[in-house]
Amino acid sequence: KKWAERHVVYNNYFYRDRDFESAKKEGTTRIGVLGDSIAWGGGIENPQDRFSNILEKKLKNAGKNVEIYNLGRPGYDTEQQTEEFENIRHLNFDLVIWEYFLNDIQPSIKSTGTRIIEINRDLPPYITFFTNQSYFLDYLYWRISPKHQKTFEQLRTADILQYENEAILKNHKERISNFIRSFETTDTKILVVIFPLISPLGPDYPARHVHQLMAETFRSNNVEVLDLQNVFGRFDKQKLMASKFDPHPNEIAHKFAAEEIFSKVTAYLE
């Protein structure tokens, strides 16, 4: 909460971006970046360091007449993202860059992650007293306690396991397909960008099969996919995270993502 108060300003549509204009100027390609806290810029103090903003700058420097609106919502899963899009569909996007993260399969109601956080947040009364009195003490406790690492690991495992639940996966795929089909009567194109779990990246990356599954799902709906798993895998993962205690992609990771997306979008614009 304190971090958001210092670094987040919302616009006229209550997104973390400049104000959106309903009318699109002639000759302008309007791009919407849909997604969760990664697109929103979790852990990124200056929104100009997000991949959406970096991408817009690179495209303009390359002579492209574009405007990019960031539609990221922290904590939103696929269900909520697709429902939320209906509120801004009238902005008439030419291209939607859909940032996909592996916990987006979690249902908006009864998410397994919510219960894990609640359990791990249950502290002894004497600790709760002090952490409720001071943001600094709360910050200090979670940096010293091993609970934060345990919580991240449990959340990661719970997210991956959702893809093994046939009912949840079936519903997830149907929602994705329905959203993509909603653009069939328009000229809007979709590019999906899959972000990996950064902290477990390596030879034994536990979510490799999920990347393949979801890439196939999107491609079966005739949508182009950019999977950043191998891109991020080339670098020291510790240098790609917002901090030891925040696994969100940092400014360096967003820069790498923007560079990869740039080549895809440039091809689309040409």
Side-chain angles (χ1 to χ4, degrees), residues 5 24 62 68 87 97 113 147 154 163 205 239 247 253 270:
E5 289 176 354
K24 183 170 58 176
I68 297 182
N87 296 326
I97 298 174
K147 267 196 171 185
Q154 290 177 342
Y163 292 90
Y205 182 57
K239 295 181 179 179
E270 294 176 350

Side-chain angles (χ1 to χ4, degrees), residues 206-270:
R208 203 175 305 278
H209 64 291
V210 177
H211 282 255
Q212 182 177 351
L213 171 66
M214 293 315 300
E216 291 174 353
T217 297
F218 286 111
R219 288 179 180 130
S220 69
N221 284 279
N222 298 314
V223 168
E224 187 169 4
V225 177
L226 171 61
D227 188 347
L228 296 175
Q229 175 190 176
N230 292 331
V231 175
F232 285 5
R234 297 197 298 262
F235 303 94
D236 180 354
K237 60 187 179 183
Q238 300 300 329
K239 295 181 179 179
L240 299 179
M241 294 193 296
S243 76
K244 178 181 177 181
F245 311 101
D246 184 351
H248 280 102
N250 64 13
E251 291 85 351
I252 296 173
H254 274 257
K255 179 176 180 293
F256 290 151
E259 290 172 352
E260 296 295 324
I261 299 171
F262 174 76
S263 61
K264 294 284 187 181
V265 175
T266 300
Y268 163 78
L269 293 176
E270 294 176 350

Side-chain angles (χ1 to χ4, degrees), residues 62-76:
K64 308 299 182 183
N65 186 10
V66 302
E67 58 184 7
I68 297 182
Y69 288 174
N70 189 298
L71 313 173
R73 291 285 201 196
Y76 272 33

Side-chain angles (χ1 to χ4, degrees), residues 2-219:
K2 296 288 185 180
W3 185 91
E5 289 176 354
R6 290 197 301 269
H7 304 298
V8 177
V9 176
Y10 290 103
N11 68 4
N12 56 334
Y13 279 78
F14 205 66
Y15 288 100
R16 190 189 182 192
D17 205 346
R18 66 187 184 279
D19 283 350
F20 295 164
E21 297 181 9
S22 295
K24 183 170 58 176
K25 295 178 181 178
E26 185 176 353
T28 298
T29 298
R30 178 173 286 177
I31 301 172
V33 174
L34 184 65
D36 54 23
S37 59
I38 293 178
W40 179 81
I44 305 293
E45 295 182 359
N46 185 348
Q48 294 303 316
D49 292 327
R50 299 177 300 186
F51 73 84
S52 58
N53 300 69
I54 298 171
L55 175 64
E56 182 178 53
K57 184 176 180 180
K58 286 176 67 67
L59 289 169
K60 287 184 175 180
N61 288 343
K64 308 299 182 183
N65 186 10
V66 302
E67 58 184 7
I68 297 182
Y69 288 174
N70 189 298
L71 313 173
R73 291 285 201 196
Y76 272 33
D77 54 36
T78 296
E79 179 180 351
Q80 293 166 306
Q81 291 168 28
T82 55
E83 290 176 352
E84 172 71 16
F85 188 82
E86 297 309 312
N87 296 326
I88 41 86
R89 186 181 287 270
H90 67 278
L91 293 177
N92 191 24
F93 295 101
D94 299 290
L95 173 66
V96 172
I97 298 174
W98 193 356
E99 172 263 312
Y100 184 87
F101 189 57
L102 274 57
N103 67 358
D104 288 347
I105 191 174
Q106 288 278 6
S108 57
I109 300 176
K110 296 182 179 180
S111 165
T112 56
T114 301
R115 182 58 181 155
I116 290 171
I117 292 173
E118 288 175 349
I119 292 174
N120 287 315
R121 185 68 189 178
D122 189 16
L123 306 176
Y126 68 92
I127 293 180
T128 301
F129 173 80
F130 288 106
T131 57
N132 285 343
Q133 301 301 314
S134 167
Y135 170 76
F136 173 73
L137 291 178
D138 183 65
Y139 173 91
L140 191 62
Y141 171 78
W142 285 101
R143 273 25 180 194
I144 295 174
S145 169
K147 267 196 171 185
H148 74 272
Q149 186 62 36
K150 175 184 175 184
T151 302
F152 287 150
E153 291 174 355
Q154 290 177 342
L155 289 171
R156 184 171 67 225
T157 300
D159 293 337
I160 294 174
L161 286 175
Q162 294 298 297
Y163 292 90
E164 298 178 14
N165 184 311
E166 292 185 8
I168 290 177
L169 180 59
K170 180 176 182 292
N171 180 70
H172 188 55
K173 287 183 174 182
E174 288 178 352
R175 180 165 291 277
I176 287 171
S177 296
N178 290 338
F179 181 66
I180 293 171
R181 280 199 295 270
S182 72
F183 292 94
E184 286 182 348
T185 59
T186 73
D187 294 326
T188 304
K189 303 298 181 183
I190 300 175
L191 168 64
V192 170
V193 182
I194 302 177
F195 276 73
L197 300 160
I198 296 180
S199 58
L201 276 175
D204 299 322
Y205 182 57
R208 203 175 305 278
H209 64 291
V210 177
H211 282 255
Q212 182 177 351
L213 171 66
M214 293 315 300
E216 291 174 353
T217 297
F218 286 111
R219 288 179 180 130

